[in-house]
Amino acid sequence: MNVLFSTLTLVTFFPLVGVALLLFTPKEQKDTIRWIAVGASLTTFLISLVMLAQFNPADPNMQLVVRSPWIRIGSNWNIDFYFGIDGASLLLILLTTFLTPIAIFSSWTAIEERVKEYMIFFLLLEVGMVGVFVSLDLFLFYIFWEFSLVPMYLLVGIWGGQNRMYAAIKFFLYTMAGSILMLLAILWLGINVGTFAYTDILGKVPAAAQGLLFLAFAAAFAIKVPVWPLHSWLPDAHVEAPTAGSVILAGVLLKLGTYGFLRFNLGLFPEAAKQYAPTIAVLAVIGIVYGAIVSYPQKDVKKLVAYSSVSHLGFVMLGLFALNSQGIQGAILQMINHGLSTGALFLLVGMIYERRHTRELAQFGGLWTVMPLYGTLTLIVTLSSMGLPGLNGFVGEFAILLGAWGAGQPGAAYGSYAYAAVASLGVILAAVYMLWMFQKMFLGKVENPHNNGLADLNWREVVVLVPLIIMIFWIGLYPAPFFDLMSPSVTQLVAAIQSAAVALR
């Protein structure tokens, strides 16, 4: 297959076409700049749909593979330009290309200063995120992993809130610190296994080395997720980031960490995954409960949504390390669900902030009578986030709890039903803090005179939100196509992990 014009190459690098056009567009032509960015991101989404059409759901192996020699230094430094996808990475690429034009379009009136640079960094960020999901060479993966840090750092640091530099530097340093250990582990694999190619390393990592390598990769991914107690950078980054930045941070960037656990920690180190599963489960359950409890007393609605991510992604980690098909498939679907629901919540928070220039819950109340359309859409997204049956959040959480319960059987990954039992409290607590937020903002009488006469959603805001609402209902009512895409590759992964567990015994 031609490397330059392969579908995966195009879906990864097409945003650079938009970047090139923006470089030659005068900065004074703000609307032209916005349309170029939207057009480039929409075209990338269309390319991802072509990728979906070319994908064979019945094949568990890597598909649409592109592999070409890239760097050759001696016998142990064979680094390839190596792209490929399976069902899990396909869904996450679709999530990325779906959310990026929505986030860019939501910035239409929110960003007025340095619009050209803003749009360039956003398109570069999309390149980095998609590159992570398609890379099958560990060295290439690391390049995209680190590259994605820079645009987000600049988006927060330049267009963020009052404490933007503190939040941006904290985000950058936390993520970079964990990445150093992962880089050392990648170098060890390249030297000792003789290749950086993911598919060539599978099954060749010595059992004695898997423990330390697992921890080295986990350090980078746990910070990115973030897993409790490595989460302290997240609320600051979310609160200070511009609205679109928060959407992409929650919707996609956090998924780089969970995807890393799925692809590398489970795929390359199955014996260590079995060994560390109970420990990861403990951290996941603590994160589920902690994130929910800390969300409730927040006075800033954006910080409330930020802490809720710690809880929701705790569910994802619990599902992944159940090491069974139900848990892993539920975790992958919940990655998508969280990107849609929490992304929509950040958009809704940004829309009210543009009108009131405050996010304090105490400043609202009775908004549903003033902004009925805004209130209705917020209610749908709120119910989605708390896992109401019929909406997307319920399907993922149910599959995860089913997997965690199966992992509680004697001899399974967790060996105790307590993990599923305690995690189920997170579902109840989510209803508490999400309904509390909705009540404080939308119910009752309008007591603050500044809320009288607020304009309801305009056409642009409706266009931004409707695709997310459609996906929320689609996954909630008919999730089968999403499970069908990931099922073969997950089944293959679980079989490999179970074979490793038998070898350990």
Side-chain angles (χ1 to χ4, degrees), residues 391-402:
L391 301 177
N392 61 335
F394 172 78
V395 182
E397 289 182 356
F398 179 80
I400 288 169
L401 291 174
L402 191 65

Side-chain angles (χ1 to χ4, degrees), residues 429-478:
L429 294 173
V432 172
Y433 67 76
M434 292 305 298
L435 290 177
W436 168 254
M437 178 199 74
F438 188 83
Q439 177 185 339
K440 293 287 288 182
M441 290 186 68
F442 292 95
L443 302 184
K445 298 180 180 179
V446 179
E447 297 182 354
N448 189 327
H450 293 96
N451 295 327
N452 288 316
L454 288 176
D456 209 341
L457 299 180
N458 57 43
W459 71 269
R460 176 184 54 80
E461 292 167 329
V462 172
V463 168
V464 164
L465 291 170
V466 164
L468 296 168
I469 300 297
I470 292 172
M471 294 302 301
I472 284 171
F473 278 107
W474 181 6
I475 296 176
L477 297 174
Y478 186 54

Side-chain angles (χ1 to χ4, degrees), residues 31 65 71 87 89 126 131 141-142 144 179 206 208 212 214 248 277 303 309 323 330 355 391 495:
D31 282 348
V65 172
I71 300 174
S89 50
E126 184 176 21
F141 166 83
Y142 184 80
F144 281 114
S179 299
L212 287 176
F214 179 97
I248 294 300
K303 185 170 283 190
S309 291
L323 305 183
R355 290 162 169 78
L391 301 177

Side-chain angles (χ1 to χ4, degrees), residues 215-443:
L215 293 175
F217 275 83
F221 301 147
I223 291 172
K224 181 75 84 175
V225 172
V227 175
W228 181 91
L230 304 173
H231 65 281
S232 65
W233 65 268
L234 181 64
D236 292 320
H238 268 315
V239 170
E240 299 303 327
T243 297
S246 292
V247 172
I248 294 300
L249 178 59
V252 183
L253 273 179
L254 303 187
K255 310 311 180 301
L256 303 188
T258 51
Y259 171 79
F261 274 110
L262 172 67
R263 175 68 67 223
F264 300 106
N265 286 77
L266 300 189
L268 297 181
F269 319 121
E271 292 95 337
K274 174 71 174 177
Q275 176 185 350
Y276 286 109
T279 303
I280 299 292
V282 169
L283 297 178
V285 169
I286 292 174
I288 290 169
V289 177
Y290 169 85
I293 292 174
V294 175
S295 294
Y296 178 77
Q298 297 302 319
K299 298 178 181 179
D300 184 320
V301 64
K302 197 175 186 184
K303 185 170 283 190
L304 184 152
V305 177
Y307 273 111
S308 75
S309 291
V310 178
S311 182
H312 289 143
L313 289 165
F315 275 105
V316 174
M317 293 300 297
L318 184 69
L320 288 177
F321 281 87
L323 305 183
N324 54 38
S325 294
Q326 299 96 323
I328 294 175
Q329 289 188 59
I332 295 170
L333 186 63
Q334 197 63 6
M335 294 183 210
I336 308 301
N337 292 336
H338 178 262
L340 298 171
S341 300
T342 305
L345 282 173
F346 278 121
L347 287 170
L348 290 161
V349 172
M351 289 169 186
I352 195 64
Y353 182 79
E354 284 191 38
R355 290 162 169 78
R356 286 284 283 107
H357 302 290
T358 181
R359 295 187 299 261
E360 295 294 320
L361 283 170
Q363 295 294 318
F364 301 113
L367 289 182
W368 209 347
T369 60
V370 181
M371 307 170 66
L373 179 58
Y374 177 74
T376 300
L377 295 183
T378 304
L379 178 61
I380 293 171
V381 178
T382 298
L383 296 175
S384 161
S385 186
M386 57 184 264
L388 183 76
L391 301 177
N392 61 335
F394 172 78
V395 182
E397 289 182 356
F398 179 80
I400 288 169
L401 291 174
L402 191 65
W405 188 261
Q409 298 176 3
Y414 297 156
S416 172
Y417 298 114
Y419 299 100
V422 177
S424 64
L425 294 176
V427 179
I428 301 171
L429 294 173
V432 172
Y433 67 76
M434 292 305 298
L435 290 177
W436 168 254
M437 178 199 74
F438 188 83
Q439 177 185 339
K440 293 287 288 182
M441 290 186 68
F442 292 95
L443 302 184

Side-chain angles (χ1 to χ4, degrees), residues 42-59:
L42 280 175
T43 304
T44 304
F45 176 63
L46 293 176
I47 296 171
S48 71
L49 295 181
V50 173
M51 174 190 68
L52 174 62
Q54 295 174 343
F55 186 82
N56 178 11
D59 186 355

Side-chain angles (χ1 to χ4, degrees), residues 166-188:
Y166 169 78
I169 292 173
K170 190 175 183 180
F171 159 74
F172 192 89
L173 292 180
Y174 262 69
T175 309
M176 181 68 77
S179 299
I180 292 173
L181 293 175
M182 180 172 68
L183 176 60
L184 293 176
I186 289 173
L187 292 174
W188 189 95

